[in-house]
PDB file of all heavy atoms in Angstrom:
ATOM      1  N   LEU K 342     -16.874  57.840 -26.768  1.00 94.00           N
ATOM      2  CA  LEU K 342     -16.732  56.855 -25.697  1.00 94.00           C
ATOM      3  C   LEU K 342     -17.657  57.152 -24.515  1.00 94.00           C
ATOM      4  O   LEU K 342     -18.404  56.290 -24.063  1.00 94.00           O
ATOM      5  CB  LEU K 342     -15.265  56.879 -25.242  1.00 94.00           C
ATOM      6  CG  LEU K 342     -14.883  56.155 -23.965  1.00 94.00           C
ATOM      7  CD1 LEU K 342     -14.957  54.656 -24.168  1.00 94.00           C
ATOM      8  CD2 LEU K 342     -13.476  56.547 -23.544  1.00 94.00           C
ATOM      9  N   PHE K 343     -17.589  58.379 -24.031  1.00 93.00           N
ATOM     10  CA  PHE K 343     -18.368  58.726 -22.841  1.00 93.00           C
ATOM     11  C   PHE K 343     -19.865  58.697 -23.150  1.00 93.00           C
ATOM     12  O   PHE K 343     -20.673  58.279 -22.332  1.00 93.00           O
ATOM     13  CB  PHE K 343     -17.955  60.097 -22.306  1.00 93.00           C
ATOM     14  CG  PHE K 343     -16.510  60.145 -21.886  1.00 93.00           C
ATOM     15  CD1 PHE K 343     -15.590  60.925 -22.567  1.00 93.00           C
ATOM     16  CD2 PHE K 343     -16.061  59.376 -20.823  1.00 93.00           C
ATOM     17  CE1 PHE K 343     -14.258  60.956 -22.191  1.00 93.00           C
ATOM     18  CE2 PHE K 343     -14.727  59.394 -20.433  1.00 93.00           C
ATOM     19  CZ  PHE K 343     -13.827  60.182 -21.122  1.00 93.00           C
ATOM     20  N   GLY K 344     -20.199  59.161 -24.352  1.00 91.00           N
ATOM     21  CA  GLY K 344     -21.606  59.144 -24.753  1.00 91.00           C
ATOM     22  C   GLY K 344     -22.143  57.720 -24.800  1.00 91.00           C
ATOM     23  O   GLY K 344     -23.273  57.451 -24.396  1.00 91.00           O
ATOM     24  N   PHE K 345     -21.310  56.802 -25.274  1.00 93.00           N
ATOM     25  CA  PHE K 345     -21.728  55.403 -25.355  1.00 93.00           C
ATOM     26  C   PHE K 345     -22.024  54.850 -23.961  1.00 93.00           C
ATOM     27  O   PHE K 345     -23.064  54.245 -23.719  1.00 93.00           O
ATOM     28  CB  PHE K 345     -20.647  54.558 -26.037  1.00 93.00           C
ATOM     29  CG  PHE K 345     -21.062  53.131 -26.246  1.00 93.00           C
ATOM     30  CD1 PHE K 345     -21.778  52.769 -27.373  1.00 93.00           C
ATOM     31  CD2 PHE K 345     -20.758  52.164 -25.304  1.00 93.00           C
ATOM     32  CE1 PHE K 345     -22.191  51.461 -27.562  1.00 93.00           C
ATOM     33  CE2 PHE K 345     -21.163  50.849 -25.479  1.00 93.00           C
ATOM     34  CZ  PHE K 345     -21.881  50.497 -26.614  1.00 93.00           C
ATOM     35  N   VAL K 346     -21.099  55.103 -23.033  1.00 92.00           N
ATOM     36  CA  VAL K 346     -21.282  54.606 -21.670  1.00 92.00           C
ATOM     37  C   VAL K 346     -22.501  55.273 -21.029  1.00 92.00           C
ATOM     38  O   VAL K 346     -23.290  54.624 -20.344  1.00 92.00           O
ATOM     39  CB  VAL K 346     -20.012  54.850 -20.825  1.00 92.00           C
ATOM     40  CG1 VAL K 346     -20.255  54.484 -19.370  1.00 92.00           C
ATOM     41  CG2 VAL K 346     -18.851  54.047 -21.391  1.00 92.00           C
ATOM     42  N   GLN K 347     -22.687  56.568 -21.298  1.00 86.00           N
ATOM     43  CA  GLN K 347     -23.846  57.266 -20.766  1.00 86.00           C
ATOM     44  C   GLN K 347     -25.134  56.590 -21.219  1.00 86.00           C
ATOM     45  O   GLN K 347     -26.029  56.347 -20.431  1.00 86.00           O
ATOM     46  CB  GLN K 347     -23.868  58.727 -21.248  1.00 86.00           C
ATOM     47  CG  GLN K 347     -22.993  59.648 -20.416  1.00 86.00           C
ATOM     48  CD  GLN K 347     -22.959  61.053 -21.004  1.00 86.00           C
ATOM     49  OE1 GLN K 347     -22.002  61.433 -21.657  1.00 86.00           O
ATOM     50  NE2 GLN K 347     -24.006  61.824 -20.785  1.00 86.00           N
ATOM     51  N   GLU K 348     -25.204  56.288 -22.532  1.00 82.00           N
ATOM     52  CA  GLU K 348     -26.399  55.657 -23.092  1.00 82.00           C
ATOM     53  C   GLU K 348     -26.631  54.275 -22.506  1.00 82.00           C
ATOM     54  O   GLU K 348     -27.708  53.971 -22.023  1.00 82.00           O
ATOM     55  CB  GLU K 348     -26.239  55.494 -24.611  1.00 82.00           C
ATOM     56  CG  GLU K 348     -26.612  56.687 -25.429  1.00 82.00           C
ATOM     57  CD  GLU K 348     -28.095  57.032 -25.294  1.00 82.00           C
ATOM     58  OE1 GLU K 348     -28.928  56.119 -25.409  1.00 82.00           O
ATOM     59  OE2 GLU K 348     -28.394  58.211 -25.054  1.00 82.00           O
ATOM     60  N   LYS K 349     -25.600  53.444 -22.563  1.00 83.00           N
ATOM     61  CA  LYS K 349     -25.800  52.049 -22.208  1.00 83.00           C
ATOM     62  C   LYS K 349     -25.914  51.834 -20.709  1.00 83.00           C
ATOM     63  O   LYS K 349     -26.570  50.915 -20.263  1.00 83.00           O
ATOM     64  CB  LYS K 349     -24.665  51.169 -22.769  1.00 83.00           C
ATOM     65  CG  LYS K 349     -24.666  51.014 -24.285  1.00 83.00           C
ATOM     66  CD  LYS K 349     -26.009  50.592 -24.836  1.00 83.00           C
ATOM     67  CE  LYS K 349     -26.262  49.107 -24.759  1.00 83.00           C
ATOM     68  NZ  LYS K 349     -27.531  48.761 -25.474  1.00 83.00           N
ATOM     69  N   GLU K 350     -25.235  52.651 -19.939  1.00 79.00           N
ATOM     70  CA  GLU K 350     -25.283  52.449 -18.489  1.00 79.00           C
ATOM     71  C   GLU K 350     -26.223  53.445 -17.833  1.00 79.00           C
ATOM     72  O   GLU K 350     -26.340  53.479 -16.610  1.00 79.00           O
ATOM     73  CB  GLU K 350     -23.880  52.583 -17.880  1.00 79.00           C
ATOM     74  CG  GLU K 350     -22.854  51.628 -18.470  1.00 79.00           C
ATOM     75  CD  GLU K 350     -23.110  50.181 -18.066  1.00 79.00           C
ATOM     76  OE1 GLU K 350     -23.726  49.951 -17.018  1.00 79.00           O
ATOM     77  OE2 GLU K 350     -22.705  49.282 -18.818  1.00 79.00           O
ATOM     78  N   SER K 351     -26.837  54.277 -18.671  1.00 72.00           N
ATOM     79  CA  SER K 351     -27.753  55.290 -18.163  1.00 72.00           C
ATOM     80  C   SER K 351     -27.112  56.141 -17.067  1.00 72.00           C
ATOM     81  O   SER K 351     -27.584  56.204 -15.943  1.00 72.00           O
ATOM     82  CB  SER K 351     -29.020  54.613 -17.650  1.00 72.00           C
ATOM     83  OG  SER K 351     -29.944  55.545 -17.223  1.00 72.00           O
ATOM     84  N   LEU K 352     -26.010  56.754 -17.420  1.00 77.00           N
ATOM     85  CA  LEU K 352     -25.292  57.612 -16.472  1.00 77.00           C
ATOM     86  C   LEU K 352     -25.199  59.010 -17.066  1.00 77.00           C
ATOM     87  O   LEU K 352     -25.378  59.191 -18.272  1.00 77.00           O
ATOM     88  CB  LEU K 352     -23.867  57.068 -16.276  1.00 77.00           C
ATOM     89  CG  LEU K 352     -23.740  55.678 -15.659  1.00 77.00           C
ATOM     90  CD1 LEU K 352     -22.340  55.128 -15.864  1.00 77.00           C
ATOM     91  CD2 LEU K 352     -24.082  55.716 -14.179  1.00 77.00           C
ATOM     92  N   ASP K 353     -24.926  60.004 -16.223  1.00 80.00           N
ATOM     93  CA  ASP K 353     -24.627  61.314 -16.782  1.00 80.00           C
ATOM     94  C   ASP K 353     -23.137  61.343 -17.137  1.00 80.00           C
ATOM     95  O   ASP K 353     -22.430  60.350 -16.953  1.00 80.00           O
ATOM     96  CB  ASP K 353     -25.008  62.445 -15.811  1.00 80.00           C
ATOM     97  CG  ASP K 353     -24.283  62.327 -14.483  1.00 80.00           C
ATOM     98  OD1 ASP K 353     -23.349  61.499 -14.388  1.00 80.00           O
ATOM     99  OD2 ASP K 353     -24.636  63.057 -13.546  1.00 80.00           O
ATOM    100  N   PHE K 354     -22.681  62.482 -17.674  1.00 87.00           N
ATOM    101  CA  PHE K 354     -21.301  62.528 -18.160  1.00 87.00           C
ATOM    102  C   PHE K 354     -20.305  62.156 -17.047  1.00 87.00           C
ATOM    103  O   PHE K 354     -19.444  61.299 -17.225  1.00 87.00           O
ATOM    104  CB  PHE K 354     -20.985  63.917 -18.734  1.00 87.00           C
ATOM    105  CG  PHE K 354     -19.573  64.046 -19.235  1.00 87.00           C
ATOM    106  CD1 PHE K 354     -19.213  63.474 -20.453  1.00 87.00           C
ATOM    107  CD2 PHE K 354     -18.601  64.707 -18.495  1.00 87.00           C
ATOM    108  CE1 PHE K 354     -17.914  63.570 -20.931  1.00 87.00           C
ATOM    109  CE2 PHE K 354     -17.297  64.804 -18.953  1.00 87.00           C
ATOM    110  CZ  PHE K 354     -16.950  64.236 -20.173  1.00 87.00           C
ATOM    111  N   ALA K 355     -20.469  62.807 -15.885  1.00 87.00           N
ATOM    112  CA  ALA K 355     -19.537  62.534 -14.783  1.00 87.00           C
ATOM    113  C   ALA K 355     -19.603  61.070 -14.366  1.00 87.00           C
ATOM    114  O   ALA K 355     -18.574  60.439 -14.099  1.00 87.00           O
ATOM    115  CB  ALA K 355     -19.873  63.440 -13.596  1.00 87.00           C
ATOM    116  N   GLY K 356     -20.818  60.535 -14.358  1.00 87.00           N
ATOM    117  CA  GLY K 356     -20.998  59.123 -13.999  1.00 87.00           C
ATOM    118  C   GLY K 356     -20.264  58.205 -14.971  1.00 87.00           C
ATOM    119  O   GLY K 356     -19.653  57.214 -14.566  1.00 87.00           O
ATOM    120  N   ALA K 357     -20.334  58.558 -16.251  1.00 91.00           N
ATOM    121  CA  ALA K 357     -19.662  57.742 -17.262  1.00 91.00           C
ATOM    122  C   ALA K 357     -18.149  57.794 -17.084  1.00 91.00           C
ATOM    123  O   ALA K 357     -17.451  56.787 -17.200  1.00 91.00           O
ATOM    124  CB  ALA K 357     -20.049  58.213 -18.666  1.00 91.00           C
ATOM    125  N   VAL K 358     -17.630  58.991 -16.776  1.00 93.00           N
ATOM    126  CA  VAL K 358     -16.188  59.124 -16.556  1.00 93.00           C
ATOM    127  C   VAL K 358     -15.785  58.289 -15.335  1.00 93.00           C
ATOM    128  O   VAL K 358     -14.786  57.561 -15.367  1.00 93.00           O
ATOM    129  CB  VAL K 358     -15.785  60.602 -16.358  1.00 93.00           C
ATOM    130  CG1 VAL K 358     -14.299  60.705 -16.044  1.00 93.00           C
ATOM    131  CG2 VAL K 358     -16.128  61.424 -17.595  1.00 93.00           C
ATOM    132  N   GLU K 359     -16.597  58.368 -14.281  1.00 91.00           N
ATOM    133  CA  GLU K 359     -16.284  57.610 -13.062  1.00 91.00           C
ATOM    134  C   GLU K 359     -16.333  56.098 -13.321  1.00 91.00           C
ATOM    135  O   GLU K 359     -15.492  55.342 -12.841  1.00 91.00           O
ATOM    136  CB  GLU K 359     -17.266  57.994 -11.944  1.00 91.00           C
ATOM    137  CG  GLU K 359     -16.886  59.312 -11.299  1.00 91.00           C
ATOM    138  CD  GLU K 359     -18.003  59.900 -10.432  1.00 91.00           C
ATOM    139  OE1 GLU K 359     -19.097  59.303 -10.365  1.00 91.00           O
ATOM    140  OE2 GLU K 359     -17.767  60.969  -9.848  1.00 91.00           O
ATOM    141  N   TYR K 360     -17.336  55.683 -14.087  1.00 92.00           N
ATOM    142  CA  TYR K 360     -17.478  54.268 -14.429  1.00 92.00           C
ATOM    143  C   TYR K 360     -16.215  53.762 -15.134  1.00 92.00           C
ATOM    144  O   TYR K 360     -15.657  52.725 -14.788  1.00 92.00           O
ATOM    145  CB  TYR K 360     -18.711  54.116 -15.325  1.00 92.00           C
ATOM    146  CG  TYR K 360     -18.869  52.780 -16.010  1.00 92.00           C
ATOM    147  CD1 TYR K 360     -19.633  51.773 -15.435  1.00 92.00           C
ATOM    148  CD2 TYR K 360     -18.279  52.548 -17.257  1.00 92.00           C
ATOM    149  CE1 TYR K 360     -19.801  50.553 -16.076  1.00 92.00           C
ATOM    150  CE2 TYR K 360     -18.439  51.329 -17.904  1.00 92.00           C
ATOM    151  CZ  TYR K 360     -19.194  50.340 -17.305  1.00 92.00           C
ATOM    152  OH  TYR K 360     -19.358  49.137 -17.946  1.00 92.00           O
TER     153      TYR K 360
END
Side-chain angles (χ1 to χ4, degrees):
L342 168 71
F343 299 113
F345 184 86
V346 173
Q347 277 175 258
E348 275 296 312
K349 290 309 277 187
E350 303 290 335
S351 183
L352 297 165
D353 59 10
F354 179 76
V358 176
E359 281 166 358
Y360 168 94

